[in-house]
Amino acid sequence: MEKPEILQTGPMMKLIEDGIAAHFTVYRLWQASDPDALLADLAPRLRAVAAASHAPINPAFLDRLPKLEIVSSMGVGYDTIDARHAATRGVVVTNTPDVLSDEVADTALGLLLMTARELSAAERYLRAGLWVKQGEYPLTRTTLRGRTVGIVGLGRIGQAIARRVEAFGLPVVYHNRRQVPGEARRWYPSLLEMARDVDTLISVLPGGASTHHLIGAEVLAALGPNGIVINIGRGSVVDEAALVAALDAGTIASAGLDVFEKEPCLPEGLAKHEKVVLLPHVGSASHHTRDLMGQLVVDNLVTWFREGRPLTPVVETPWPR
Ligand code: NAP
Ligand code: 8YV
């Protein structure tokens, strides 16, 4: 039997490339000499797209493919895919939830510890030979002891972070748009009010219009001079210019960031800032976890063609429809 055709939007990990090649005839959009001509050729019959991480799938792209049924995307975040428009077209979008939650939560806790106890600065000090030349690394300005943590986005990853933070002996409260049913931790309908009551924010919000710059000057000021901001969700949630200004002015103490507004570029003033810990979007980046995510990209596609259902559809394109 002939393999179904699939369009791959960009380079993906070997596990995915091998997985889809075993089941599909693959067209590689980013390698096409004339991508427009390839899309026009496939349009009358293409049913599936494998979307590389952070690849834009916009209405214009979706509308060029009238027979499209499924977009299987790498990563749990899908802010670069217009899933609402896909829904209007009857196209199912899938992502890779749950399998990465513990890894990302581990990274968030690492980032929190590095930030509160200046661990990367201390390591730089040691490697530069300053322990020998100048003596002990200075006592850290901040500590985890006595902190209260406000999680911004208590979803799958937020819950995994909350459990870890509590194991460190710190109380956890949260802000979502809606209270989580059956959740005992205190819910703040207002992020600003939560920021006034805590000294540590861990944001694990998705990107997109509803979360853009939610953490800005006002929230940072409410957090206060002992405040620590950790962002492991999407860079667009934090107003980076306001963050740099708050760090410079001592409005907050420090920040730990795994994600940025214009990845892979850093904004002016952040790269050399002494009060930040910066990671290059490595929240889920282990072989173990990326393999689980990649397998889910493949399995969503295979299950769609074999059984007529997706495994992990996003909320905008629920299944059954
Ligand atoms: P999730 O289970 O959908 O959780 C998202 C949470 O955010 C939900 O509790 C949701 O609650 C809340 N939320 C959404 N929009 C909001 C808004 N406008 N205001 C306040 N709260 C809002 O997703 P997840 O699996 O935990 O993943 C979360 C995000 O983490 C992903 O979308 C991705 O962007 C990011 N991520 C980053 C990495 C990394 O490597 N750094 C790795 C994986 C994921 P309500 O709907 O009630 O508001
Ligand atoms: C990765 C992520 O950047 O899952 C997400 O939303 O941000 C990360 O796990 C990526 O999407 C996987 O390649």
Side-chain angles (χ1 to χ4, degrees), residues 76-79 97-98 100-101 104 152-158 175-180 204-207 210-211 214 231-234 258-259 281-285 290:
V76 68
Y78 53 97
D79 41 299
D98 298 316
L100 44 48
S101 295
V104 180
V152 193
L154 191 77
R156 290 168 292 236
I157 300 171
H175 165 68
N176 281 6
R177 287 167 300 187
R178 289 169 290 268
Q179 186 164 18
V180 178
V204 61
L205 285 178
S210 82
T211 59
L214 269 191
N231 188 11
I232 191 96
R234 279 291 177 267
D258 183 49
V259 287
H281 201 146
V282 293
S284 67
R290 287 288 170 83

